[in-house]
Amino acid sequence: MAGRRPTLDDVARAAGVHKATASRALNPETRNQVKFETAHRITVAARRLGYVPNTLARGLRTSRSTAVGVLVPDLTNPLFPPIVRGIQDRLDSHGYTALLVNTDNDEERERAQFAELAARRVDGFIVATARRDHPLLAEAVGRGTALVTVNRTVELPGTPAVVGDDADGVAQAVAHLRGLGHTRIAHLAGPQSVSTGAVRLRAFRQAAGRARDAVVECAAYTEQAGRAGARRLLLAHPSTTAVLAGNDLIALGALAELAAQGRSCPDDISVVGFNDMPFADRFRPPLTTVRVPHHEMGVQAAELLLELLTRPQPVARTVVLPARLVVRGSTAPPPASR
């Protein structure tokens, strides 16, 4: 075979099987049709020969590209890499490739990238950019596009989604602050155009009682927006002793604004985040936050999409993963109770 690429015929001869058997063994979607020992022998032969399946040719035969488009709003947000890793881990095990694009929260950019991925004939989409009212996704679902949302939901009945139990996470956070003695609790809410912001605000108002209106909506899930929101919050509600932030980046901005105003966390004001993103335990002080299993979220999103692609009559469903409060150094009893 010197000077040429090994073929499926070469693999079949090396493994001592028919070409069709080799093809089924090397295709993740049909591998289970071949005995384990035989499939292993074929895989070893293919690896030894350096055989690489021609996925383009397979796609022309099967009308499948074995590629999935993954849209995220902001790759600089540490929330998303664990989700993407979970997606890739699950897709890889089924022979699919994830094509990742970053939309920068720009609707025109998102539409252009979605169209580009569709032109590449991806088999489906996993979307972390969903807004509650999302015309692009509504159009895609209307065309029958296989689509799953992750971390957020969209107001389109029958669209599969994987989310954390945000309402329970907020309830745990508020209960923790109340248990410390806080009665003047405020919420730095995330954008209300996305489901996470809306669900967490609604849960805060249900749990906070008389403090339900001590709320400032942040323009984005960013440190800068969190700092600006904290500044407005402290002007409007100066007696606040605890803040529940819409996510960890908003909490990071709140910590920066407290420091700029000469206030100490948690001595003057306690702060709770949401997501438990990487390095939240290294904030100053280490951040009390609600942990959501983001890698598992990605795994489950990929699993839902695979169901859409491989089952004759898949059932659209929403998977809700448990949230858990992680208590660290950014929360303490209010000053008056010490």
Side-chain angles (χ1 to χ4, degrees), residues 273-293:
F274 207 106
N275 282 327
D276 195 24
M277 71 181 192
F279 308 113
D281 59 335
R282 300 190 182 184
F283 287 11
R284 293 189 177 179
L287 186 65
T288 294
T289 183
V290 176
R291 175 176 294 167
V292 179

Side-chain angles (χ1 to χ4, degrees), residues 38-101:
T38 304
H40 179 69
R41 187 169 74 251
I42 294 167
T43 302
V44 170
R47 188 180 300 119
R48 187 177 70 249
L49 293 173
Y51 172 73
V52 178
N54 188 336
T55 55
L56 177 60
R58 182 188 295 165
L60 292 174
R61 292 194 303 271
T62 65
S63 298
R64 289 281 180 86
S65 66
T66 63
V68 170
V70 179
L71 280 69
V72 298
D74 180 9
L75 269 177
T76 65
N77 184 334
L79 161 70
F80 293 108
I83 293 177
V84 173
R85 180 59 184 269
I87 292 170
Q88 289 180 319
D89 287 347
R90 194 72 180 108
L91 291 180
D92 285 350
S93 68
H94 282 70
Y96 283 80
T97 299
L99 302 181
L100 177 66
V101 296

Side-chain angles (χ1 to χ4, degrees), residues 75-192:
L75 269 177
T76 65
N77 184 334
L79 161 70
F80 293 108
I83 293 177
V84 173
R85 180 59 184 269
I87 292 170
Q88 289 180 319
D89 287 347
R90 194 72 180 108
L91 291 180
D92 285 350
S93 68
H94 282 70
Y96 283 80
T97 299
L99 302 181
L100 177 66
V101 296
N102 176 60
T103 69
D104 285 331
N105 286 299
D106 184 302
E107 292 184 38
E108 290 187 9
R109 178 181 174 92
E110 178 188 49
R111 183 172 285 274
Q113 290 177 328
F114 196 97
E116 174 65 22
L117 289 170
R120 292 174 180 265
R121 302 183 66 82
V122 297
D123 294 332
F125 291 85
I126 298 175
V127 180
T129 60
R131 296 178 300 279
R132 295 164 67 192
D133 179 20
H134 205 132
L136 171 63
L137 300 190
E139 294 166 15
V141 170
R143 292 193 300 268
T145 301
L147 185 149
V148 173
T149 65
V150 62
N151 189 55
R152 301 175 180 178
T153 58
V154 64
E155 293 178 355
L156 291 171
T159 303
V162 183
V163 295
D165 194 342
D166 288 359
D168 184 60
V170 168
Q172 291 180 50
V174 173
H176 167 65
L177 293 171
R178 287 202 179 283
L180 291 173
H182 292 277
T183 58
R184 296 188 293 275
I185 306 169
H187 182 40
L188 281 173
Q192 296 303 289

Side-chain angles (χ1 to χ4, degrees), residues 198-275:
V199 169
R200 292 170 195 173
L201 173 55
R202 184 164 59 247
F204 172 79
R205 285 183 163 151
Q206 289 174 348
R210 287 179 298 177
R212 65 187 306 275
D213 294 323
V215 173
V216 167
E217 179 184 350
C218 296
Y221 280 124
T222 63
E223 180 182 352
Q224 294 81 1
R227 183 164 183 176
R231 191 177 305 120
R232 299 199 312 273
L233 177 66
L234 294 172
L235 281 173
H237 305 280
S239 63
T240 295
T241 63
V243 172
L244 170 60
N247 79 344
D248 291 339
L249 290 176
I250 289 176
L252 185 59
L255 291 173
E257 183 59 27
L258 290 175
Q261 294 191 16
R263 302 197 195 194
S264 172
C265 173
D267 293 339
D268 297 320
I269 297 182
S270 290
V271 176
V272 180
F274 207 106
N275 282 327

Side-chain angles (χ1 to χ4, degrees), residues 23-36:
S23 176
R24 286 194 295 272
L26 295 174
N27 183 346
E29 295 185 4
T30 57
R31 184 175 295 146
N32 61 358
Q33 300 174 15
V34 181
K35 290 182 179 179
F36 175 82

